[in-house]
Amino acid sequence: MNWLSQNLHIVGQLLADHLFLSIPPILLSLLISVPLGRLAAGSPRLRTPLLTGTGLLYAIPSLPLFIIIPALFGFSLRSPATMITALTLYGCALLVRGAADAFSSVPQDVRLAAAATGHSRWGLFWTVELPLAGPVLLSSLRVVTVSTVSLVTVGAVIGISSLGTLFTDGFQRNIDASIVTGIVLTVVVAFALDALCVLAARWAMPWQRAVSRA
Amino acid sequence: MNLLIEAVQWLLDPANWGEPNALGMRILEHLAFSGAVVLVAAAIGIPVGTLIGHTGRGRGAIIAITSGARALPTLGLLTIFGLWLGIGLEAPFLALLVLALPPVLAGAYAGVESVDRATVGAARAIGLTERQILTGVELPLAAPVIVGGLRSAALQVISTATLAAYISDTGLGRPLFLGLKTQQYEMMLGASILVALLALIVELCFQLVQSAAARRAEPQNGRQHRAHSGARERIEA
């Protein structure tokens, strides 16, 4: 506790860095995965390559990916862009499958009924399919949120500052309190962002109160 | 792009494979260490998960453990165990075990729980003992989901074993961190590519084992198979 009160401003700065690195990939992967998932759910021919491809992406370990991405895209090793790209890829690896399952769970007769009542394809997507896919989509988004927050810490070993810096610093300088603070704060941030997802979903899908826990 | 070519050259350079401390040895170290962790996780996780799935007691605990574990940062565990236990293999072993247990537990639990209750009831009705039901009916039917749990555990352990080199010099993380310290980026990138390939190969092997288990569990019944893959997706998510 003593350590924490003396280093409050550093911890605060690292917390801000951590949020800056974890929120964009979560939003970006949602933005990319919804259309891809819809494509995969709509056409069996695209489904297998899309899902296998993104599934294999998830198999690539995070630390190596943080090093391969700058080499591929020409970012500098310690830039936030590396981190955000890598975490967006991981997010998509989980969310594309989740979105595909979500859109597949929309009953076919509902879709047909909406088409019969004169919805355009675009209108059908926004007003029928997306709201019905919402709850299943939310459960994958929550998984992505929590694992992204936890993965950000790995960047600390290559020098990208986040709450993970408390681990590498604490280890090198032999300070338990630093590491424990880092672990606790990472878990707290993960659950806080998870709760935000649930709240946002409640606001966006007011008719679905009960399902969001599932 | 140049760096990528240099990394491939580094990987193909026979000098990096020849000496006793060379890449081949690192790969074996990496696989042996990861394998040991997954074996211990399986030895603890499968019996406990199976028991919970069979009796239905302790469900809440499993769900809490698996969702909580996802938020735990592995690097944090690794470094704190490193401080407490000192430099060596114990700390990474323990940290990786914490990582591997939840998916194994969840797989064993979800697999046994997804077995049709009517099938279990039928087995009981023809006079099988509880032990026979567990080993002869539930475990074979649950096998694909159990293997799925082992698969995600193995994948995470292999990835994270790279990180373990941060506190103890073993496995493929070693050239990676050495390259980082000495700014030999081709070495770092080469080692990264090697770990990624290793993870992909292990993933593909597990996929084969999993579909073999699925074929054995449900030789003709396509519908049941879908139920299994549903459960599998749930634990993988």
Side-chain angles (χ1 to χ4, degrees), chain B residues 8-237:
Chain B
V8 173
Q9 276 167 352
W10 180 82
L11 273 181
L12 296 178
D13 188 352
N16 293 322
W17 295 83
E19 336 151 29
N21 242 356
L23 280 176
M25 198 58 214
R26 294 273 160 265
I27 296 179
L28 282 183
E29 236 173 49
H30 201 98
L31 281 177
F33 189 62
S34 310
V37 174
V38 175
L39 271 183
V40 174
I44 303 171
I46 293 180
V48 174
T50 310
L51 216 63
I52 293 176
H54 182 74
T55 59
R57 263 181 241 151
R59 286 191 55 188
I62 290 258
I63 293 167
I65 287 172
T66 46
S67 68
R70 210 176 281 131
L72 264 187
T74 317
L75 183 63
L77 290 183
L78 213 56
T79 46
I80 196 83
F81 289 154
L83 279 193
W84 290 340
L85 302 173
I87 304 282
L89 288 180
E90 295 90 346
F93 195 90
L94 210 59
L96 291 179
L97 193 60
V98 172
L99 191 72
L101 259 179
V104 175
L105 261 178
Y109 158 74
V112 171
E113 208 221 10
S114 72
V115 173
D116 197 341
R117 286 298 105 187
T119 312
V120 177
R124 201 165 280 141
I126 58 170
L128 266 62
T129 63
E130 287 305 303
R131 170 187 286 270
Q132 284 169 326
I133 292 175
L134 197 63
T135 55
V137 181
E138 287 180 322
L139 278 180
L141 285 175
V145 189
I146 295 178
V147 175
L150 285 175
R151 168 179 155 192
S152 45
L155 207 62
Q156 287 185 42
V157 168
I158 286 187
S159 311
T160 317
T162 326
L163 211 52
Y166 185 72
I167 63 165
S168 80
D169 263 352
T170 50
L172 283 167
R174 197 171 152 166
L176 200 152
F177 281 108
L178 187 65
L180 187 68
K181 266 184 220 151
T182 57
Q183 307 208 327
Q184 285 173 279
Y185 291 119
E186 75 285 351
M187 179 197 274
M188 197 170 82
L189 190 57
S192 300
I193 295 172
L194 214 53
V195 182
L197 282 179
L198 200 64
L200 285 178
I201 291 170
V202 170
E203 162 77 3
L204 291 176
C205 292
F206 265 102
Q207 269 181 20
L208 289 182
V209 175
Q210 203 174 1
S211 50
R215 271 197 305 279
R216 219 182 126 241
E218 310 286 344
Q220 314 95 356
N221 196 336
R223 244 185 53 214
Q224 275 287 358
H225 176 67
R226 270 229 300 282
H228 268 297
S229 60
R232 193 168 71 214
E233 276 156 23
R234 243 182 292 130
I235 54 157
E236 273 174 9

Side-chain angles (χ1 to χ4, degrees), chain A residues 73-90:
Chain A
F73 293 91
F75 303 144
S76 82
L77 184 61
R78 293 183 176 82
S79 82
T82 298
M83 205 64 193
I84 292 175
T85 313
L87 293 174
T88 305
L89 284 177
Y90 277 126

Side-chain angles (χ1 to χ4, degrees), chain A:
Chain A
M1 274 300 124
N2 204 6
W3 178 88
L4 184 58
S5 59
Q6 280 161 9
N7 294 279
L8 214 53
H9 60 288
I10 302 176
V11 172
Q13 180 57 46
L14 292 175
L15 182 66
D17 290 347
H18 200 99
L19 287 174
F20 171 71
L21 288 174
S22 29
I23 294 172
I26 297 170
L27 296 179
L28 279 173
S29 52
L30 182 65
L31 223 60
I32 296 171
S33 304
V34 166
L36 284 183
R38 174 67 189 79
L39 272 182
S43 107
R45 203 147 31 108
L46 286 175
R47 189 185 165 90
T48 316
L50 265 176
L51 294 190
T52 331
T54 48
L56 284 181
L57 201 61
Y58 196 66
I60 298 175
S62 55
L63 181 58
L65 194 64
F66 293 157
I67 293 163
I68 295 171
I69 281 183
L72 278 181
F73 293 91
F75 303 144
S76 82
L77 184 61
R78 293 183 176 82
S79 82
T82 298
M83 205 64 193
I84 292 175
T85 313
L87 293 174
T88 305
L89 284 177
Y90 277 126
C92 289
L94 286 175
L95 258 183
V96 170
R97 168 168 285 269
D101 289 346
F103 284 110
S104 306
S105 74
V106 176
Q108 184 61 23
D109 34 352
V110 174
R111 211 170 283 176
L112 290 176
T117 53
H119 285 73
S120 65
R121 283 196 73 155
W122 191 242
L124 184 84
F125 174 79
W126 285 107
T127 57
V128 179
E129 290 179 329
L130 193 57
L132 285 176
V136 183
L137 201 56
L138 172 67
S139 61
S140 322
L141 181 66
R142 294 179 62 185
V143 173
V144 168
T145 302
V146 172
S147 59
T148 302
V149 170
S150 157
L151 270 176
V152 167
T153 59
V154 174
V157 299
I158 56 168
I160 300 176
S161 101
S162 71
L163 289 175
T165 309
L166 294 175
F167 305 151
T168 51
D169 251 28
F171 182 67
Q172 275 153 13
R173 294 157 57 199
N174 209 349
I175 308 174
D176 291 28
S178 167
I179 301 179
V180 173
T181 307
I183 295 178
V184 171
L185 278 182
T186 310
V187 173
V188 168
V189 170
F191 286 136
L193 289 186
D194 179 54
L196 264 183
C197 286
V198 174
L199 280 180
R202 231 180 247 183
W203 171 80
M205 302 182 285
W207 62 92
Q208 269 292 358
R209 292 244 154 114
V211 188
S212 58
R213 290 283 309 165

